[in-house]
Amino acid sequence: MFKQVKLNYDFSALEPYIDTLTMKTHCEKHHATYTKNFNEAVEKSGLLGKSVEEILSSLSSVSDESLRDTLRNNGGGYYNHNLYFSIMSPKNKTKPSSALMEAIEREFGSLTNLIETLEKMAISQFGSGWAFLSADRDGRLYVTKSSNQNNPLMEEGRHTPILGIDVWEHAYYLQYKNLRGDYVKNFFEVLDWEKVSENYENSYKTK
């Protein structure tokens, strides 16, 4: 059974950048529902025992279109939110590891350039969706955006998300209303680069 990531901080810990009510609603309502529905779909489809990465990267093997869509939407919601909540923390001024920084500078020139690219990608996503920083098996980095609960595991198969910015309205509307850009900018105030670095190193060292 797949479980929601356990937060190592309180719902109020990310204020003033993300408020308590948004965090509580996002975790206990939205993420919890995705997790419940995904577990039910996995059992129904006979995919018990497979990892979420295996399921999302091989959705085409599910012949039932309705069940495939349920796995895509809820599996993506489960996976994306686990990533999102795990890379935020109240820690101040964390920095990428030397390995991640080297990759950032190689692909984007600087950390500032990467952040600007991610901000533009998140803000420009039409409707609900995500902006991702992903890595391939060689440690190269990619910035992409996806609609709904899609992610690079489904769309590329060879790219592993290491950072995800949720731009569904439920991630920010209670606090920021229609000011998505303000939310995206403030997201980087609570982004834990140490966790992103850990994700980066795991993305290719385990291949």
Side-chain angles (χ1 to χ4, degrees):
M1 176 175 288
F2 294 102
K3 296 182 179 180
Q4 290 177 250
V5 65
K6 291 185 178 180
L7 304 187
N8 57 11
Y9 52 88
D10 295 332
F11 288 143
S12 62
L14 304 184
E15 291 196 357
Y17 305 108
I18 302 180
D19 68 289
T20 303
L21 180 59
T22 295
M23 286 294 299
K24 185 175 178 63
T25 304
H26 203 169
C27 287
E28 295 185 343
K29 303 298 184 182
H30 295 281
H31 192 194
T33 299
Y34 286 126
T35 304
K36 175 180 178 293
N37 291 343
F38 181 49
N39 277 312
E40 291 175 354
V42 168
E43 184 173 4
K44 186 176 180 180
S45 59
L47 295 173
L48 290 172
K50 289 187 177 293
S51 69
V52 62
E53 292 85 359
E54 289 174 320
I55 294 170
L56 296 184
S57 61
S58 60
L59 287 170
S60 60
S61 66
V62 180
S63 58
D64 185 308
E65 182 178 357
S66 176
L67 187 54
R68 184 170 63 247
D69 287 345
T70 300
L71 288 166
R72 175 185 296 276
N73 294 334
N74 292 282
Y78 163 77
Y79 179 94
N80 294 345
H81 283 93
N82 265 13
L83 174 64
Y84 174 76
F85 289 122
S86 71
I87 60 171
M88 295 190 294
S89 82
K91 294 179 182 178
N92 291 322
K93 306 300 181 184
T94 61
K95 297 179 180 180
S97 65
S98 57
L100 178 56
M101 183 61 81
E102 181 179 337
I104 290 171
E105 291 176 345
R106 181 172 61 246
E107 301 295 339
F108 302 97
S110 69
L111 181 59
T112 298
N113 288 345
L114 170 61
I115 291 173
E116 289 176 353
T117 302
L118 281 164
E119 287 179 347
K120 289 176 182 177
M121 199 69 76
I123 294 168
S124 66
Q125 168 58 39
F126 184 77
S128 300
W130 293 76
F132 291 102
L133 176 65
S134 302
D136 66 15
R137 291 174 175 82
D138 297 319
R140 294 191 61 182
L141 297 174
Y142 304 83
V143 170
T144 59
K145 59 183 176 181
S146 300
S147 61
N148 301 316
Q149 293 296 352
N150 292 351
N151 66 41
L153 286 173
M154 307 171 189
E155 300 161 344
E156 300 288 344
R158 61 188 182 278
H159 298 164
T160 301
I162 63 172
L163 184 163
I165 307 174
D166 190 349
V167 290
W168 280 64
E169 288 185 343
H170 64 237
Y172 62 89
Y173 209 83
L174 289 175
Q175 180 175 4
Y176 291 94
K177 302 300 186 284
N178 63 319
L179 302 178
R180 179 189 285 187
D182 290 355
Y183 154 72
V184 170
K185 188 170 291 293
N186 282 337
F187 167 82
F188 288 94
E189 296 294 330
V190 294
L191 177 62
D192 185 352
W193 282 109
E194 293 174 2
K195 179 60 179 177
V196 177
S197 299
E198 179 184 325
N199 292 343
Y200 173 67
E201 290 164 25
N202 288 339
S203 72
Y204 65 90
K205 285 184 177 179
T206 58
K207 301 301 181 183

